Amino acid sequence: MRLTTQQEEMLAGKHSRAARKAMEILVALGTIYGAEEMVPVSSVQIAGVSYDNLGEAGLKFLSDVADGGGKARVLTTLNPAGMDIENWQAMGISPDFARQQERVIEAFARMGVITTCTCTPYLTGNTPHFGEHIAWAESSAVCYANSVLGARTNREGGPSALAAALTGFTPAYGLHQTENRAPSLTIQVEADVADTVTLGALGKLIGEQMETQSQKHIPYITGIRSAAVDSLKAFCASIATYGGAALFHMPGITPEASQYAPPAEKITIRQAELDETLRKMSDAESEEIDFVSLGCPHLSLAEIARLAELLKGQKIKKTFWITTARPTKQVADLVGYTKTIEESGAIFATDTCCVVAPIKGRFHALATDSAKACYYAYAKNKFKTLICSFDEVVAEALK
Ligand code: F3S
């Protein structure tokens, strides 16, 4: 791989011990994937922040990087942590876990990382533009950045994203290159999809279809007349979870779609399949629900506004977590949504989510509008699930 003088110096340890290690990781990655050079990145999103996933070994690795002089050279934000950093007691988090989680955040802070913990960095200021090279690790955000924003990133892992932050570079391969962004499979949708739950179900259906194909496809999805940001973030989370997708094109909605003609190979998705997919994601009856959560991916301000409208003057009867980014919650505080929501008994689980928080064994059945949350609620925590629309989820909490 061709390296610039600056990159060679990093590799030789002339910047810091941490930068040398980071450049070694990137060179190894680039060699595996046949990259000829590095590309500068302007934005990084690091995953692997929850102590529940990192454990002691992960915390030690991060502390060593910080001790070794590691400093973020570009705008870098974090994925959700295992708890609300300011209000972990209300979530029932143990003091031992909280202490270790705080040490993780401290290590990132020492590296100059912006410690907003969210999977929707694009809603809170880490918002790359069309064609910008970035290095993001969070499958839903990667898919959103590539597809909806038209930025360019591979699906980074925690260490490779951190390495990109500490050097400002990533190897130029995969989705950084124009020739690898063309669609290869047309998905014709002949079903009503519009909100977070139906687009989430569509993401699952397409993702699973892609998994059964011998080739890793980039889908070109037709038949979607319009989709709001909130529905697109739900779709991205779902298609990334169930199909490993990092990029799709949707004519009339995503910015690169107009550069391509629909690929000849085609799959049609009909209403009956979508209904069946939704049905299969629910194995819990309404009476079994003891945990309700909205905010996978993290809620936008518009969604919080809707929630405040639905919960005004009401009292919830089940544990109800609202998961969002701290900057979004701070705006909700200012305009009074937080007060209205908290008066209902619902809890803001800011900086975290129902998947990365350590809640195994605490609940039996989850109600959510998120196809991704359904997947992990079972896979990680063995919860039963009920998927329904945003408004119906709120109704579950009030029952
Ligand atoms: Fe975000 Fe957690 Fe869902 S990280 S996409 S809210 S699983």
Side-chain angles (χ1 to χ4, degrees), residues 128-134 141-153 175-176 181 246-249 253-257 259:
H129 62 69
F130 186 88
E132 197 167 341
H133 292 279
I134 62 175
V142 163
C143 189
Y144 191 97
N146 275 315
S147 312
V148 181
L149 303 178
R152 297 184 171 207
T153 179
L175 294 176
H176 289 283
R181 297 177 66 88
L247 171 63
F248 63 87
H249 301 290
I253 292 174
T254 63
E256 279 169 77
Q259 296 175 19

Side-chain angles (χ1 to χ4, degrees), residues 79-80 119 138 140 237 295-298 323 352-356 372 376:
N79 232 31
C119 51
E138 157 50 38
S140 67
C296 175
H298 273 174
T323 62
T352 186
C353 77
C354 66
V355 170
V356 298
K372 177 173 178 176
Y376 284 105

Side-chain angles (χ1 to χ4, degrees), residues 281-289 364-366 384-387:
M281 271 190 283
S282 291
D283 62 350
E285 300 297 329
S286 179
E287 313 78 68
E288 294 178 275
I289 299 300
H364 169 67
L366 168 74
K384 292 175 97 176
T385 52
L386 176 66
I387 189 163

Side-chain angles (χ1 to χ4, degrees), residues 177-365:
Q177 296 175 308
T178 302
E179 61 270 28
N180 297 325
R181 297 177 66 88
S184 50
L185 175 69
T186 298
I187 309 277
Q188 186 173 323
V189 179
E190 296 178 0
D192 281 338
V193 284
D195 63 355
T196 51
V197 70
T198 49
L199 266 157
L202 181 68
K204 177 178 192 291
L205 194 47
I206 297 175
E208 287 173 346
Q209 299 259 10
M210 284 167 47
E211 285 291 278
T212 62
Q213 309 274 320
S214 50
Q215 177 194 348
K216 190 80 192 159
H217 281 292
I218 293 176
Y220 181 95
I221 303 163
T222 65
I224 313 289
R225 282 184 296 281
S226 68
V229 164
D230 297 329
S231 301
L232 285 169
K233 71 179 166 66
F235 179 76
C236 289
S238 181
I239 196 170
T241 297
Y242 291 94
L247 171 63
F248 63 87
H249 301 290
M250 240 180 222
I253 292 174
T254 63
E256 279 169 77
S258 60
Q259 296 175 19
Y260 303 106
E265 192 179 344
K266 183 162 107 178
I267 290 174
T268 302
I269 287 181
R270 300 197 168 81
Q271 189 67 46
E273 293 164 89
L274 194 80
D275 294 344
E276 177 65 6
T277 299
L278 271 171
R279 198 187 57 71
K280 279 198 198 144
M281 271 190 283
S282 291
D283 62 350
E285 300 297 329
S286 179
E287 313 78 68
E288 294 178 275
I289 299 300
D290 58 354
F291 182 38
V292 178
S293 185
L294 283 170
C296 175
H298 273 174
L299 290 186
S300 68
L301 194 60
E303 290 175 308
I304 292 177
R306 174 69 183 150
L307 199 49
E309 200 179 329
L310 293 169
L311 288 175
K312 193 170 179 53
Q314 307 266 21
K315 287 282 176 224
I316 55 138
K317 310 240 170 31
K318 292 161 192 160
T319 302
F320 187 3
W321 283 12
I322 320 298
T323 62
T324 192
R326 187 155 300 280
T328 310
K329 158 118 181 344
Q330 284 164 341
V331 180
D333 294 349
L334 283 175
V335 291
Y337 299 147
T338 303
K339 185 167 179 289
T340 306
I341 290 168
E342 288 183 339
E343 278 172 357
S344 77
I347 296 169
F348 270 90
T350 314
D351 319 305
T352 186
C353 77
C354 66
V355 170
V356 298
I359 53 173
K360 192 166 188 173
R362 270 178 59 187
F363 303 105
H364 169 67

Side-chain angles (χ1 to χ4, degrees), residues 19 50 59 123 143 227 273:
S50 171
L59 171 56
L123 295 181
C143 189
E273 293 164 89

